[in-house]
Amino acid sequence: MSGFFLALMACLAVLLPGRECVRVAQLAARLGAGTGLLAALAVSAVASSAIAAWAGTLLAPAMPGPARQMLVALALVLGAAELAWRAAPRPPAEPTHSAGAMLVVLLASQLTDGARLLVFALAIATAAPVTVALGGTLASVVALTAAALAGSHWPDAARLRPLSWIVAAVLAVFGVVTGMMARGLFG
């Protein structure tokens, strides 16, 4: 179960101040938080977390213990970099009302976000890809549904920027410490 809670907490920390919630809130503000958007975000969360965990299972057998720790350290640092430097999405000019199009956009975006990178790394590190995928999925569904239901009341990227930097700093510190532990330099 520790993989579940690690993924849940790490993904929530990355998602809540991140660009995915801003994008979903912008879509909901323009279109409303209808069942099409909610279904698209749930399906994209399940699919992207499952794909990330599955990819982790493909790589896990080839990685010894210290390499797994280094991968987690790298994932934490890259997640921090994404939060600190990745630009916020622009509001959609003419958003589509098609749930399928929203699903494609959300899935493509989530496959490359920091939360899925953490799911990938934690699936390798914990050797529990199913529970890690479930934790990542739950975090994504909770965070993105909250953003969709808040719509225009969700803070914009500029207001979330200080929180993003704080979470990025915490992730970077954990990443550096984890990397030092993997190299035997610390702990």
Side-chain angles (χ1 to χ4, degrees), residues 29-115:
R30 296 281 288 220
L31 303 173
T35 57
L37 177 60
L38 295 176
L41 69 87
V43 170
S44 67
V46 169
S48 61
S49 292
I51 290 169
W54 172 74
T57 63
L58 294 178
L59 191 57
M63 298 186 80
R68 291 177 184 200
Q69 278 185 300
M70 284 302 289
L71 182 65
V72 171
L74 180 64
L76 289 168
V77 170
L78 289 175
E82 183 206 14
L83 271 176
W85 289 294
R86 198 166 175 191
R90 284 179 279 175
E94 295 181 29
T96 179
H97 292 276
S98 165
M102 287 186 275
L103 173 62
V104 169
V105 169
L106 290 170
L107 183 59
S109 181
Q110 285 181 13
L111 282 172
T112 60
D113 71 358

Side-chain angles (χ1 to χ4, degrees), residues 11-12 14-15 25 45 51 54 56 66 72 75 83 95 97 104 109 130-131 135 140 147 162 165 167 177 183 187:
C11 290
L12 277 175
V14 170
L15 284 166
I51 290 169
W54 172 74
V72 171
L83 271 176
H97 292 276
V104 169
S109 181
V130 174
T131 58
S140 296
W165 287 337
V167 173
V177 169
R183 300 288 301 161

